[in-house]
Amino acid sequence: SMAANHVAEIERVVPTGKRAIVVGYSFGGTIAFEVASQLRKRAIVDPLPVIIDMPALNTPGLRTRTVARQMLDVMTNLPLWIAQEVANFRPHSFLLRSYGNLRRILRAIGGRPPSQELDPMIYFGEGNLPEAFQASLTAMYQAMHAYVPARYEGKVVLLRAKVPTLFRSSHITMGWESVAAGGVEVHTIPGRHDDCISELYGRDLAAVLVQCAAAFEYGDLATS
């Protein structure tokens, strides 16, 4: 239903038969994928989904990540995660992020199901968020985990933050290959999940998006 609102607006402003690049960051990446799926099914606008640092969840055929696999990913991601935290050291934020991630690790090791609420310690380095904001994030978080993406008959572009979150899968396509019939084009962008689209890295992100747009619009002419 979230995607349908965007689809209606895109079809209102994009002429029939033209191309549209649909970009989404984090949970917005999941919505962008669904927007592109609905556009492709309606065959009015030709879409390209560009997903910024968001894994595919609940995709058919995607193997469940065991606790052992999750812990291996945590150990693989830890050096870069620590290096970034040290480079941008803020004691209060670092302690909260560390505590939030430790709590998630213990929950996984204990065999308990993932939390149904987004942990602001992990993603924002904050202990408490305004109640309305937290409620909105929780609603989106639950929608994200309930969504089951269908097979997409086109290409998906994935922009991966250079610095991973601790639990991020080491798989290069972050699971999107299981639903993208046209394959997954992967680019690495600087920063970590929570700041990769910030002003700090905006120029780098814009350059990658321009490259993707040119390739989508002009095909081989863009790289010749």
Side-chain angles (χ1 to χ4, degrees):
S1 62
M2 290 186 224
N5 292 330
H6 294 290
V7 168
E9 184 65 14
I10 289 170
E11 290 183 344
R12 186 182 70 81
V13 300
V14 179
T16 299
K18 294 296 184 178
R19 293 175 171 178
I21 299 175
V22 188
V23 185
Y25 158 68
S26 193
F27 175 52
T30 301
I31 298 176
F33 176 82
E34 177 59 22
V35 168
S37 297
Q38 292 186 23
L39 287 171
R40 180 167 284 272
K41 288 177 183 176
R42 291 168 62 83
I44 297 174
V45 174
D46 182 17
L48 174 69
V50 178
I51 299 166
I52 302 178
D53 208 49
M54 178 67 199
L57 303 176
N58 306 320
T59 56
L62 191 64
R63 290 187 300 176
T64 302
R65 291 171 71 203
T66 63
V67 172
R69 178 73 257 180
Q70 291 181 61
M71 293 305 104
L72 181 59
D73 287 335
V74 167
M75 296 307 296
T76 301
N77 296 331
L78 188 59
L80 269 178
W81 185 87
I82 291 177
Q84 184 76 357
E85 288 290 335
V86 170
N88 300 276
F89 190 62
R90 292 176 295 166
H92 181 70
S93 175
F94 175 74
L95 289 173
L96 288 177
R97 287 182 192 276
S98 299
Y99 177 69
N101 277 294
L102 178 60
R103 196 163 56 176
R104 183 175 176 183
I105 289 170
L106 293 175
R107 189 181 187 96
I109 293 174
R112 290 181 291 168
S115 172
Q116 292 300 302
E117 293 189 1
L118 183 142
D119 189 340
M121 293 186 185
I122 294 175
Y123 295 98
F124 299 99
E126 296 287 347
N128 293 292
L129 297 175
E131 186 176 344
F133 185 34
Q134 181 67 60
S136 174
L137 290 173
T138 295
M140 289 190 292
Y141 194 68
Q142 292 173 352
M144 176 182 74
H145 283 281
Y147 173 67
V148 179
R151 181 177 173 83
Y152 182 73
E153 297 300 330
K155 181 175 75 172
V156 169
V157 174
L158 173 66
L159 309 186
R160 290 170 53 104
K162 181 178 180 180
V163 180
T165 55
L166 279 185
F167 276 81
R168 189 174 78 180
S169 170
S170 57
H171 197 289
I172 188 65
T173 71
M174 297 171 74
W176 290 106
E177 84 289 347
S178 61
V179 290
V184 182
E185 178 183 319
V186 182
H187 299 266
T188 299
I189 55 176
R192 60 188 179 193
H193 180 82
D194 57 321
D195 65 8
C196 64
I197 66 167
S198 70
E199 184 179 0
L200 183 63
Y201 303 115
R203 188 179 298 274
D204 301 274
L205 176 61
V208 175
L209 289 174
V210 167
Q211 177 186 339
C212 294
F216 184 49
E217 183 66 24
Y218 302 110
D220 294 337
L221 292 176
T223 55
S224 62

